[in-house]
Amino acid sequence: MKPFLLNFPQRGDERGWLVVAEGNKDVPFEIKRIFYIYGTEPNVVRGQHANRNSEFVLVNVAGSCKVRTRNGRGDDQVFDLNQPNMGLYIPRMIWKDMYDFSQDSILLCLASESYNPHEYIRSYEEYSLEMSQNNYG
Ligand code: TYD
């Protein structure tokens, strides 16, 4: 499966805006964990890993950043996350790099699994070798 963008409905009235991301509804999995990334300098690249089990939805709720996804077989995609109602779905076993963070960027990450450092692949060499040997669809 490939990463794709989600467009969350914006519920607005005279008081402002509200966006809902409900698990198994607006987000294609049950949400077990959230974390957020902020205060990242513009020249820093974060992520740089793939996850064996976790699926993610990334939302830049303030500011902007870019996300490059790779599948180890030449299918690279770049997403500009710059709207609080825009989510990026990332399936398991996809390599991801987050970069070009604006100073005010707050990148909210919704995950399908609890944190387990052992499911992270942090070497691109190891990742691409595994992707060339296995059929992850
Ligand atoms: P890291 O995975 O390197 O962050 P990023 O993907 O943004 O580059 O995580 C940074 C630190 O936070 C690292 O020490 C692991 C820890 N961490 C947790 O304890 N739980 C979590 O859910 C996450 C995502 C990270």
Side-chain angles (χ1 to χ4, degrees), residues 30-89:
E30 196 176 320
I31 300 163
K32 289 214 183 124
R33 170 170 60 123
I34 71 162
F35 54 94
Y36 40 94
I37 293 169
Y38 58 96
T40 301
E41 294 293 327
N43 57 344
V44 168
V45 181
R46 299 203 60 138
Q48 300 190 283
H49 46 59
N51 292 74
R52 293 186 185 282
N53 302 321
S54 294
E55 301 163 74
F56 296 94
V57 167
L58 272 43
V59 185
N60 219 121
V61 292
S64 61
C65 76
K66 290 196 176 76
V67 183
R68 179 173 70 154
T69 60
R70 308 175 76 179
N71 75 346
R73 300 174 188 144
D75 193 356
D76 297 4
Q77 293 173 273
V78 174
F79 299 91
D80 228 324
L81 296 186
N82 54 16
Q83 284 175 38
N85 68 321
M86 177 195 276
L88 172 62
Y89 170 71

Side-chain angles (χ1 to χ4, degrees), residues 33-35 37 45-49 56 96 98 101 109 113-117 120 122:
R33 170 170 60 123
I34 71 162
F35 54 94
I37 293 169
V45 181
R46 299 203 60 138
Q48 300 190 283
H49 46 59
F56 296 94
K96 50 205 164 304
M98 294 86 90
F101 289 89
C109 307
E113 307 298 325
S114 304
Y115 183 61
N116 173 5
Y120 281 68
R122 291 185 179 272

